[in-house]
């Protein structure tokens, strides 16, 4: 009858990717797969722990630390938990990820983690809270290069697109062919390549020789096939040199090309760590553990693994 304790599979297929790469069996939702001999024991001393950030890494760290007997409080700046794991559930075929987010939240609550939303952590807040140790899991922010014109209303981030914070036009250009860019293109493109006059038309541009070069899971094939079936135009080996009001200028095979006629330009150029608070926290002489995207941009499996590892050290 304890259904909420059953870990859901989120369909990420990282288990298959690890095996085919010769790295052994790993699981995004269970960091102890392949490490069953690692004991989860009660801590020798109960500590007052502050977890900053409610993404997958922060939730995993908070829940496991509380399970080990620590007094854990998680503070999240936004009004919701999940971090970018929340956004990852919006593209087609990714809805199972929402079950994973729900599970991590429920386990943190079940283990006694105190959660404070809309709580911006500053050095003053930390001093008042007086933790014994801190886990910084503040996540990351979208990469936004200087050459990307911030004053153009039609240039938006893929994060805002997925969360519905902005509207997109009929002709869309996605900058970046990594997982975020490809899934955003999949999210935006008309479901069928049937020349529908109301359907959105999407072009994807990537500077590397191929798209999704970081994805070694079986899901990559399915995503690429959906993009092709939907008629998404894919340009690879194309380096963007300038963003125009309705398009871009890029170089490819030594030549310069300009594309025009786009209503919306979506930036999906990666994630940079949000760890600006780290330098201030180090002055307080409190041990700080930086995990997840706050340490280095990665996948959900990286965040949960780091969250579990740090919780065992507290």
């Amino acid at each position: 009858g304890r259904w909420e304790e059953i870990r859901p599979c989120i369909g990420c297929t990282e288990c298959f990717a690890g095996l085919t790469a010769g790295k052994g069996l790993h699981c995004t939702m269970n960091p102890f797969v392949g490490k069953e001999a690692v004991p989860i024991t009660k801590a020798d001393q109960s500590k007052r722990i502050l977890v900053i950030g409610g993404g997958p890494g922060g939730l995993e760290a908070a829940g496991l630390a509380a399970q080990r007997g620590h007094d854990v409080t998680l503070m999240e700046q936004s009004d919701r938990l999940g971090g970018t794991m929340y956004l990852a559930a919006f593209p087609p075929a990714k809805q199972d990820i929402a079950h994973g987010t729900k599970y991590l939240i429920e386990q943190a609550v079940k283990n006694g983690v105190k959660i404070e939303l809309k709580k911006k952590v500053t050095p003053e807040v930390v001093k008042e809270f007086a933790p014994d140790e801190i886990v910084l899991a503040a996540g990351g922010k979208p990469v936004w290069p200087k050459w990307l014109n911030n004053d153009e209303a039609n240039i938006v981030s893929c994060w805002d697109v997925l969360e519905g914070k902005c509207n997109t036009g009929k002709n869309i250009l996605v900058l970046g062919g990594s997982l975020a860019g490809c899934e955003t293109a999949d999210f935006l493109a008309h479901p069928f390549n049937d020349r529908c006059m109301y359907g959105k038309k999407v072009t994807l541009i990537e500077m590397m020789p191929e798209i999704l070069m970081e994805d070694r899971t079986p899901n990559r094939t399915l995503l690429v096939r959906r993009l092709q079936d939907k008629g998404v135009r894919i340009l690879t080996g194309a380096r963007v040199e300038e963003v125009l009001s309705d398009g871009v200028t890029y170089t490819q095979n030594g030549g310069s090309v300009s594309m025009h006629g786009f209503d919306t330009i979506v930036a999906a150029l990666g994630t940079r760590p949000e760890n600006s608070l780290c330098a201030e926290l180090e002055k307080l002489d409190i041990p700080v553990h930086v995990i997840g995207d706050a340490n280095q941009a990665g996948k959900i499996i990286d965040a949960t693994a780091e969250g579990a590892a740090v919780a065992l050290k507290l």
Side-chain angles (χ1 to χ4, degrees):
R2 305 198 313 272
W3 304 108
E4 73 282 355
E5 295 181 28
I6 300 176
R7 286 187 181 89
C9 173
I10 61 173
C12 65
T13 64
E14 290 290 347
C15 46
F16 290 99
L19 287 173
T20 55
K23 297 181 179 180
L25 187 63
H26 304 284
C27 176
T28 294
M29 293 306 301
N30 185 357
F32 294 94
V33 165
K35 301 177 182 178
E36 288 81 5
V38 177
I40 301 176
T41 59
K42 289 292 183 180
D44 295 333
Q45 176 186 357
S46 180
K47 300 178 182 178
R48 187 171 169 84
I49 305 297
L50 173 61
V51 177
I52 303 173
L59 288 168
E60 178 67 34
L64 184 53
Q67 182 182 336
R68 297 190 62 230
H70 294 299
D71 179 10
V72 183
T73 297
L74 185 151
M75 297 183 182
E76 165 59 42
Q77 182 174 340
S78 70
D79 60 354
R80 60 166 177 78
L81 296 170
T84 51
M85 189 176 181
Y86 166 81
L87 296 177
F90 281 87
K94 301 299 290 290
Q95 286 71 34
D96 284 345
I97 291 179
H99 296 296
T101 305
K102 181 174 181 286
Y103 170 82
L104 291 175
I105 295 171
E106 288 179 342
Q107 290 307 296
V109 172
K110 175 180 178 293
N111 287 318
V113 177
K114 294 179 281 294
I115 297 174
E116 298 183 24
L117 298 178
K118 295 189 285 187
K119 183 75 172 185
K120 181 176 176 59
V121 178
T122 63
E124 290 69 32
V125 170
V126 175
K127 289 178 184 178
E128 182 180 352
F129 185 80
D132 295 313
E133 297 195 40
I134 299 171
V135 177
L136 181 59
K141 289 185 176 181
V143 171
W144 204 271
K146 293 181 179 178
W147 48 262
L148 208 54
N149 304 322
N150 288 325
D151 56 346
E152 295 289 350
N154 66 330
I155 302 178
V156 298
S157 80
C158 62
W159 292 15
D160 287 345
V161 169
L162 292 175
E163 199 168 0
K165 290 184 176 180
C166 60
N167 295 320
T168 55
K170 180 179 178 181
N171 295 312
I172 304 166
L173 175 63
V174 177
L175 307 180
S178 65
L179 189 60
C182 289
E183 288 186 341
T184 303
D186 189 23
F187 175 81
L188 290 169
H190 191 59
F192 303 99
N193 187 18
D194 59 359
R195 302 179 66 89
C196 173
M197 62 182 299
Y198 302 111
K200 293 180 184 291
K201 298 178 180 178
V202 180
T203 298
L204 182 72
I205 187 168
E206 166 59 40
M207 65 180 291
M208 299 298 288
E210 193 49 85
I211 60 173
L212 292 168
M213 293 186 66
E214 82 280 21
D215 191 354
R216 298 182 181 274
T217 71
N219 287 340
R220 180 187 185 279
T221 298
L222 301 176
L223 176 53
V224 172
R225 289 183 62 180
R226 284 200 303 273
L227 294 176
Q228 293 177 154
D229 289 345
K230 292 179 178 183
V232 174
R233 183 189 179 195
I234 300 174
L235 300 173
T236 57
R239 178 186 291 271
V240 175
E241 301 293 344
E242 182 183 5
V243 176
L244 311 172
S245 60
D246 66 339
V248 294
T249 297
Y250 66 92
T251 55
Q252 186 181 48
N253 299 324
S256 180
V257 182
S258 292
M259 289 193 300
H260 298 273
F262 295 100
D263 307 311
T264 308
I265 299 174
V266 179
L269 300 171
T271 303
R272 62 175 178 83
E274 176 48 72
N275 52 20
S276 56
L277 189 61
C278 195
E280 294 294 326
L281 294 178
E282 289 177 351
K283 299 176 183 177
L284 302 179
D285 196 27
I286 301 173
V288 179
H289 310 273
V290 186
I291 66 170
D293 282 355
N295 178 41
Q296 182 178 353
K299 295 184 176 182
I300 301 171
I301 191 171
D302 302 314
T304 54
E306 291 178 27
V310 75
L312 293 179
K313 296 177 181 178
L314 295 174

